[in-house]
Amino acid sequence: MSAQIISGRDIAAEIRSELTARTVALPDEHGVVPGLATVLVGDDPASHMYVGMKNKAAGKMGIHSRQITLPADTSEAELLGLVAGLNADPQIHGILVQLPLPDHIDEGGVIEAIDPSKDVDGFHPISVGRLATDSGVFFPPCTPAGVIEMLVRSGHDPAGKLVVVVGRSNIVGRPLASLLIRKAPGGNATVTVCHSWTPDLGAVTRSAEILVVAIGRPEMITADMVQPGAVVIDVGSHRIDDPGSEKGYRLCGDVLFDEVKEVAGALSPSPGGVGPMTINTLIMQSVESAEQAGRSD
Ligand code: NDP
């Protein structure tokens, strides 16, 4: 039997219409228009593409988006000065500094310079610490938060479930594990985290009621690694050579989709899964930040 397809694209569209309603209400209710500043340093084409997508999505939902593009030789002091200005700017509620930064700039120092209340990307050490200790007000990193939203909205609340996360990166696996064990909606799961030192990966992934894969290896998770009926979320995102196709390449995830969909109970595709949820979460957290700023004025 073929798995239920969890479409991040459809869930993201549903969230967008809810968010647009909130954004439209904000000027009357709180006297603010949500503002998101994206800062891009250098010419990395992938970074330009990601930032462009984020600004386009923000603009569509009535968010004031300010894209600041700086040359690759921008000094660290200039960048820190810019961040300080955005921290103090009442029109800006969310700040995203696109990574990676050029080698001569200390990324950690720049992230730490962002006001945690505007850290809608969730990478400031205060945000990371609050997530890890499940305390205080913070924004989690967008990709894992998008995964949780996807699970809950598709009827697969992780509460009480055995969840296996493959990958322990700071942007996906590790914060996802922290979100899953929170005593909060979307949390309360029992979590195992796998990485490259995990012996017999298949034995562990087969134990999962919910399997979230963020390995960064195209189509590595095969049907024999999945428990029949399990829910599988594929975070992976790749462009691989495909001489048989018109373009000479195709897009895929970390999961061998055609095979796993015959075993899993539910499965998210890639593309069209976690990607759209990541961008949505950034916008959602910018709106939340504006609402918080409006309430505290
Ligand atoms: P990283 O490369 O930072 O982390 C990969 C993780 O997988 C590491 O923890 C690594 O273990 C583990 N791993 C690698 N090989 C194996 C293996 N053979 N067995 C078990 N574990 C293994 O990747 P990211 O977390 O940054 O990204 C993962 C994927 O998600 C990528 O495809 C990326 O493109 C995609 N992605 C998609 C996003 C979206 O919005 N759609 C956003 C972010 C990422 P170890 O720590 O031991 O090295």
Side-chain angles (χ1 to χ4, degrees):
M1 203 182 74
S2 228
Q4 167 207 353
I5 301 303
I6 303 176
S7 166
R9 231 171 243 149
D10 290 352
I11 298 172
E14 179 186 306
I15 296 172
R16 270 200 301 278
S17 63
E18 295 166 12
L19 272 178
T20 306
R22 275 164 70 182
T23 312
V24 169
L26 262 169
D28 288 339
E29 285 177 8
H30 294 295
V32 288
V33 174
L36 170 67
T38 53
V39 182
L40 178 56
V41 186
D43 313 311
D44 179 55
S47 294
H48 275 264
M49 189 184 78
Y50 295 141
V51 168
M53 286 161 67
K54 288 165 186 170
N55 280 300
K56 199 170 150 197
K60 273 191 190 163
M61 277 177 266
I63 290 189
H64 159 66
S65 74
R66 195 184 299 168
Q67 180 171 342
I68 301 151
T69 307
L70 302 170
D73 62 357
T74 300
S75 71
E76 190 173 305
E78 281 174 273
L79 185 55
L80 289 172
L82 176 80
V83 170
L86 294 171
N87 284 342
D89 187 337
Q91 288 190 322
I92 296 298
H93 307 97
I95 302 170
L96 176 141
V97 177
Q98 184 68 40
L99 303 180
L101 291 170
D103 289 346
H104 65 277
I105 297 177
D106 169 26
E107 275 184 7
V110 173
I111 298 302
E112 279 185 43
I114 297 172
D115 178 342
S117 72
K118 297 188 179 186
D119 175 35
V120 289
D121 218 13
F123 293 133
H124 191 290
I126 288 183
S127 310
V128 175
R130 286 181 178 164
L131 167 58
T133 52
D134 196 4
S135 60
V137 178
F138 64 92
F139 296 111
C142 297
T143 299
V147 169
I148 299 284
E149 192 74 26
M150 229 173 144
L151 284 168
V152 171
R153 286 196 183 234
S154 61
H156 304 289
D157 192 324
K161 296 282 179 358
L162 286 171
V163 182
V164 172
V165 176
V166 190
R168 58 175 166 182
S169 73
N170 286 336
I171 62 168
V172 190
R174 202 176 286 261
L176 178 60
S178 296
L179 284 168
L180 285 164
I181 59 169
R182 287 182 76 200
K183 284 188 184 175
N188 292 312
T190 302
V191 182
T192 302
V193 180
C194 303
H195 44 76
S196 64
W197 285 61
T198 302
D200 198 354
L201 182 64
V204 185
T205 56
R206 270 192 303 280
S207 72
E209 293 174 275
I210 298 177
L211 175 63
V212 186
V213 188
I215 310 185
R217 297 188 187 271
E219 301 180 330
M220 187 177 143
I221 299 296
T222 46
D224 60 313
M225 298 171 83
V226 175
Q227 181 183 137
V231 176
V232 181
I233 302 291
D234 187 355
V235 182
S237 170
H238 308 278
R239 192 173 120 155
I240 57 171
D241 291 342
D242 183 5
S245 77
E246 204 175 298
K247 292 177 180 159
Y249 68 87
R250 66 186 171 87
L251 306 177
C252 69
D254 288 343
V255 173
L256 187 51
F257 183 86
D258 286 343
E259 207 180 281
V260 170
K261 80 175 191 315
E262 300 305 324
V263 178
L267 170 63
S268 77
S270 176
V274 174
M277 294 299 295
T278 297
I279 295 182
N280 251 35
T281 306
L282 176 74
I283 309 299
M284 185 154 65
Q285 298 193 152
S286 303
V287 173
E288 275 166 23
S289 177
E291 288 170 343
Q292 282 163 18
R295 278 195 290 271
S296 63
D297 278 348

